[in-house]
Amino acid sequence: MAQHWASDPYSLIKFGIPSRVASVEKNIEPSHFEPDKRTVPSKRTPQSYYMMHTPHKSAYLEIIELAIERMKNGSTLLLLPDTRDIDRVLQSLEGKSVDFEVIRLDSSLPRAQRYENYLKVSIKGNVLVIGNRSALFAPIQNLTSIIVAFEKSEQYFERKHPYWNTRDSVFLRAKTENLNLYFTGYVPSSEMAFQIENRNISFITQKANLNTSAFPQMQGELLPDRIIPAIRKSLEKGTVLFLVPRKGYANALLCAKCRNIALCKCGARLLVSSQTSDPQCSVCSVSVKDWQCSWCAGTKRYVAARGIDRFHEEIGRAFPNTSIQLSSAPNILEEVAEKTKIVIATTGSIPGGSKEYSAVVLLEGQRFLAASSSRFEELVYESFFEAAAHVSEKGSVFIVLDAFHPLVAAITKWNPGLLIRKILRENEEAFLPPFSAVAVLTVEKQESVILKNGLAKSIKDGRLPTSSQVFLSQDAESDDARILVSVPSENRDVLAAFLLELSRKRAISKKSFVSIALDPFTLLR
């Protein structure tokens, strides 16, 4: 792993081994510790699968059913993005009769409990270990399978040196220990789709058809006229779920007269937290009383980027006398009240209960899809499919989007293949992952040009592939600069070895530290 991430082993050890607690060791009898009997790898060929979650069924229930099935062959490691997902999986496991021990291993545990569980998984013979990304390093006896649930999550990417991610690291461990791999999600990431397309990973899904309708926005209105009667009919049958792009009230304030963006004296945008509140700076948090436009002196405000609180107001006016609940970080609902008829949620904040909705409304589809990169476009597709999966079997999915958009047909047929192939072809033309391996080097601005020229010379001299590309990105407001180095994906090991040697030589010569992030979650800041 250290070689793969162009790092030293000691930077990775801290992620794999929890802090030692001597008192915990005293409570475990020494006779329980058995030597690590590394069995000879079996002749079986390990398999890798991607399981797409199905509609009308809890994804957490599907994950735990998969884990129970894999436990028939030996110990299983189940990785989940965060502690909330672990809680939901453990809740789905309640009431099920199992003949194995379940051990939780994640950062939410007290220090002593986490170390005790770490020791337990190293001496138990048949266990289901459930944890977050650091649980990948757990020394589990008789391990046969690893499950990575919701593989596209940003939580699987470490944001500190050495910037490792779970997906690639899981492949390294599986190859070393001859393990079966299972990935789950609603829409495969581009890296996973690339492996599926090359038949390195088997794609598992069930056929489904959803009753989907599209309602295009004609003049930028939140709810097109034709969608309102359809939602009213659904409210008579049950609860309706609305998915909205962002939280807050207004993430951009404009002058209603000249439509110029309202800015603070520091140059940052002004935000509005409620209909009657004063605009507030998004950077320095200064409130602006008696605001007026600096261009035309107008005082009438226009909300450009609506948040969930503004959606709450407008939806409440469209459907009066209707009980509404909001779900957005950090206040994410786990259960929906019985009297609630409308649930409004942001991406990733859909209530965790198994409640099915009579209708799912995906608002402002075009604003969702106005992503700055293909990575965020993938996340939009994932969030749309996840929301649509919560509809009841007789329910409907309403999308505020043009009917000819391929996303509408993809959700109807429950098949994201066309969407992912589009992203793959675009990434191939732009020489982006998974067709290339990318390293982002963060260095002091005064050294950035010299380092960029040195990398260009390395390409010219053949130390890096001749098809490699180097880009320099400098931000006027930052003391650091970013250098992007991309090579063909088949030359990733060459790039990692080169960057590791580069960091060693810079350390020996006592030059400034260069932060190296290989295959980061996003290339943007």
Side-chain angles (χ1 to χ4, degrees):
M1 274 193 67
Q3 293 176 353
H4 188 82
W5 299 113
S7 169
D8 60 283
Y10 301 101
S11 295
L12 288 164
I13 286 175
K14 63 183 180 181
F15 294 105
I17 303 178
S19 301
R20 179 173 178 260
V21 181
S23 60
V24 171
E25 296 175 357
K26 295 178 182 179
N27 297 328
I28 299 179
E29 297 181 13
S31 59
H32 286 179
F33 286 93
E34 299 178 0
D36 184 12
K37 299 178 181 179
R38 296 187 178 276
T39 58
V40 179
S42 63
K43 295 182 180 180
R44 60 179 172 81
T45 302
Q47 302 293 324
S48 297
Y49 304 89
Y50 182 94
M51 184 185 76
M52 180 180 176
H53 293 298
T54 56
H56 320 310
K57 187 175 182 179
S58 169
Y60 298 99
L61 185 60
E62 288 186 318
I63 291 168
I64 203 63
E65 289 176 352
L66 174 62
I68 293 174
E69 177 66 24
R70 298 314 306 163
M71 282 299 299
K72 295 177 181 179
N73 298 327
S75 296
T76 299
L77 172 60
L78 171 56
L79 301 177
L80 292 144
D82 57 31
T83 56
R84 186 179 70 251
D85 294 311
I86 296 175
D87 292 337
R88 291 175 177 178
V89 163
L90 291 175
Q91 186 178 4
S92 299
L93 186 60
E94 293 179 0
K96 292 185 178 293
S97 177
V98 295
D99 57 354
F100 53 82
E101 186 173 356
V102 179
I103 299 179
R104 179 171 184 165
L105 192 63
D106 68 288
S107 56
S108 69
L109 298 174
R111 180 182 173 189
Q113 184 64 54
R114 185 180 183 186
Y115 185 59
E116 180 181 351
N117 288 2
Y118 179 82
L119 296 180
K120 284 182 178 180
V121 302
S122 66
I123 61 177
K124 299 286 184 177
N126 189 40
V127 293
L128 171 61
V129 180
I130 302 177
N132 50 24
R133 61 175 180 265
S134 294
L136 168 65
F137 300 92
I140 304 170
Q141 297 294 330
N142 191 31
L143 181 63
T144 60
S145 302
I146 300 179
I147 302 172
V148 182
F150 309 115
E151 60 90 16
K152 192 181 294 185
S153 174
E154 187 177 358
Q155 302 298 325
Y156 284 131
F157 287 73
E158 178 57 49
R159 297 185 180 183
K160 299 179 182 178
H161 176 77
Y163 302 99
W164 61 281
N165 72 61
T166 302
R167 182 186 56 244
D168 292 356
S169 302
V170 159
F171 280 112
L172 294 175
R173 179 167 186 177
K175 183 178 180 180
T176 303
E177 302 183 30
N178 204 31
L179 305 175
N180 292 315
L181 289 182
Y182 292 82
F183 299 90
T184 80
Y186 289 96
V187 179
S189 62
S190 56
E191 291 84 359
M192 197 60 56
F194 180 74
Q195 297 292 337
I196 295 172
E197 196 174 68
N198 291 328
R199 301 185 183 280
N200 297 323
I201 295 178
S202 301
F203 185 70
I204 303 174
T205 185
Q206 295 183 13
K207 291 183 178 180
N209 284 283
L210 301 186
N211 182 18
T212 308
S213 301
F215 301 86
Q217 289 176 303
M218 304 305 295
Q219 297 179 347
E221 67 278 14
L222 176 64
L223 295 172
D225 292 338
R226 293 192 302 110
I227 200 175
I228 294 178
I231 295 175
R232 284 187 179 140
K233 289 182 180 179
S234 299
L235 286 171
E236 295 174 358
K237 301 176 183 177
T239 305
V240 175
L241 171 66
F242 287 80
L243 184 71
V244 299
R246 60 186 67 82
K247 61 180 183 179
Y249 184 82
N251 298 322
L253 178 65
L254 276 66
C255 173
K257 184 178 179 181
C258 66
R259 296 303 171 97
N260 278 299
I261 298 176
L263 301 177
C264 177
K265 292 181 179 179
C266 71
R269 292 189 176 189
L270 295 178
L271 310 180
V272 180
S273 59
S274 68
Q275 186 176 11
T276 58
S277 65
D278 294 322
Q280 188 177 46
C281 179
S282 59
V283 174
C284 62
S285 300
V286 172
S287 295
V288 181
K289 294 186 180 295
D290 301 322
W291 173 87
Q292 67 177 23
C293 178
S294 58
W295 296 89
C296 67
T299 58
K300 190 174 181 180
R301 304 185 298 188
Y302 176 80
V303 174
R306 291 171 288 203
I308 189 171
D309 295 327
R310 179 59 186 268
F311 285 112
H312 182 197
E313 285 185 6
E314 298 190 21
I315 293 173
R317 286 196 295 265
F319 306 101
N321 303 320
T322 304
S323 177
I324 301 177
Q325 279 188 283
L326 305 184
S327 180
S328 64
N331 303 313
I332 300 176
L333 295 177
E334 285 301 321
E335 297 293 338
V336 178
E338 292 184 5
K339 296 182 179 180
T340 298
K341 299 296 291 182
I342 292 178
V343 176
I344 307 175
T346 55
T347 300
S349 302
I350 297 174
S354 58
K355 184 178 183 63
E356 292 187 342
Y357 299 90
S358 59
V360 173
V361 185
L362 309 177
L363 292 176
E364 295 203 319
Q366 199 58 52
R367 190 177 296 276
F368 265 111
L369 295 168
S372 56
S373 71
S374 59
R375 177 70 71 187
F376 290 108
E377 187 179 354
E378 293 175 22
L379 294 177
V380 170
Y381 295 150
E382 177 86 4
S383 62
F384 275 22
F385 272 80
E386 179 189 4
H390 287 75
V391 73
S392 63
E393 292 188 12
K394 296 182 179 180
S396 302
V397 178
F398 304 137
I399 308 177
V400 181
L401 189 66
D402 293 325
F404 56 79
H405 196 285
L407 177 62
V408 178
I411 293 179
T412 302
K413 298 179 180 179
W414 204 249
N415 182 2
L418 181 62
L419 304 175
I420 293 301
R421 284 193 291 271
K422 166 185 168 291
I423 292 178
L424 283 178
R425 299 292 77 83
E426 290 175 350
N427 288 0
E428 183 177 17
E429 292 177 3
F431 195 54
L432 291 172
F435 300 94
S436 67
V438 179
V440 178
L441 283 62
T442 305
V443 63
E444 293 180 359
K445 189 175 291 185
Q446 58 267 27
E447 294 190 25
S448 59
V449 176
I450 298 175
L451 182 56
K452 176 183 178 296
N453 293 337
L455 292 169
K457 189 176 186 302
S458 298
I459 297 173
K460 185 177 180 181
D461 295 343
R463 292 192 292 273
L464 285 174
T466 56
S467 57
S468 302
Q469 298 179 1
V470 181
F471 304 95
L472 174 62
S473 173
Q474 293 182 333
D475 188 348
E477 299 179 357
S478 175
D479 296 331
D480 296 329
R482 290 156 56 92
I483 300 174
L484 277 68
V485 185
S486 60
V487 302
S489 55
E490 59 269 20
N491 298 123
R492 189 195 182 284
D493 292 342
V494 176
L495 176 62
F498 175 88
L499 294 176
L500 181 59
E501 186 64 22
L502 172 67
S503 62
R504 285 174 177 171
K505 289 184 176 181
R506 288 183 66 88
I508 293 172
S509 59
K510 298 183 179 180
K511 293 182 179 179
S512 61
F513 175 73
V514 175
S515 174
I516 300 173
L518 271 164
D519 300 327
F521 181 76
T522 176
L523 304 182
L524 303 175
R525 286 188 183 272

